[in-house]
Amino acid sequence: MNGWTERQTSKQMYGQAGKQTEKLIWSKSFSSKLMTTIVSYFSSMYVYQWRGFFGEKPMIYPPTFDGRVILYPTVETLRDYLSWRQADCHINNLYNTCFWCLVKSGQTAEAAEARLSGTSSSDKNEILFSEFTINYNDLPEIFKKGSILTWQDVEEMVMKRCRTKDDETVMERPVQRSRKTVVTLHVDVIGDDFWREHPDITEGY
């Protein structure tokens, strides 16, 4: 959020299909205020950014979002929860991809739902590939894994004003610097690689 630093707010957020999970470092006493602030900000930004994603397509009804704060006792519990969320993202996306392909091909929603009832992941993959020439593995990672927002050090070139040694002439020269910024990742959080690459997320816990 605007005006918050990485030391004052969250270290990581995960989101998919309308669900946002945030790992917090604030004390429990802030839970209600933090929850209402995040939900309010998320709702307003959803409306504010609508045209940037959907153009002139009208918003049919005002969006609403709920929220809750959960305090997990250990890092392992948090990782288990995020792993479940990401696995759920994959399951839902695979189903929805098949469902809407069937509907767009001419089937009714009821017929598409009946066709997918009781099917396994391999069955859905086969439907996509054999009937719609879609390889599920080639779909964008954002839909299969969701989004992770976390702090990361990035290198950037900036112009710095400085004076020359010989005179008082002020010149600008490029300088490379490192700073923390929020980055959006669409990567696996179930395995260990992500956590090894971002040890600061669980540092101190």
Side-chain angles (χ1 to χ4, degrees), residues 36-171:
T36 55
T37 301
I38 289 175
V39 172
S40 173
Y41 187 78
F42 187 93
S43 300
S44 61
M45 286 303 294
Y46 186 94
V47 175
Y48 183 75
Q49 299 287 351
W50 176 270
R51 285 195 174 184
F53 290 90
F54 301 104
E56 296 302 316
K57 184 177 181 179
M59 186 179 291
I60 300 175
Y61 51 83
T64 57
F65 302 92
D66 66 350
R68 62 185 181 272
V69 175
I70 304 173
L71 301 178
Y72 291 104
T74 64
V75 171
E76 289 73 21
T77 306
L78 173 67
R79 286 190 55 177
D80 287 344
Y81 175 78
L82 292 175
S83 296
W84 168 62
R85 281 298 191 196
Q86 191 164 74
D88 189 51
C89 174
H90 157 68
I91 293 170
N92 291 337
N93 184 62
L94 180 57
Y95 179 92
N96 290 334
T97 303
C98 283
F99 178 85
W100 288 110
C101 280
L102 292 170
V103 170
K104 289 179 180 179
S105 70
Q107 295 190 30
T108 64
E110 293 76 13
E113 185 176 355
R115 172 78 184 281
L116 296 175
S117 178
T119 57
S120 64
S121 293
S122 59
D123 294 332
K124 295 181 183 71
N125 275 293
E126 180 60 27
I127 291 173
L128 289 175
F129 189 76
S130 61
E131 299 183 27
F132 304 102
T133 63
I134 295 175
N135 186 334
Y136 182 78
N137 292 328
D138 294 337
L139 296 181
E141 295 298 299
I142 184 175
F143 302 124
K144 296 183 293 183
K145 292 185 169 63
S147 301
I148 302 122
L149 273 65
T150 188
W151 291 93
Q152 187 168 297
D153 290 322
V154 297
E155 300 294 328
E156 64 178 7
M157 296 296 295
V158 297
M159 300 303 295
K160 182 178 179 180
R161 294 171 64 87
C162 58
R163 298 181 183 277
T164 61
K165 293 182 179 180
D166 300 331
D167 53 42
E168 295 299 311
T169 304
V170 178
M171 301 180 61

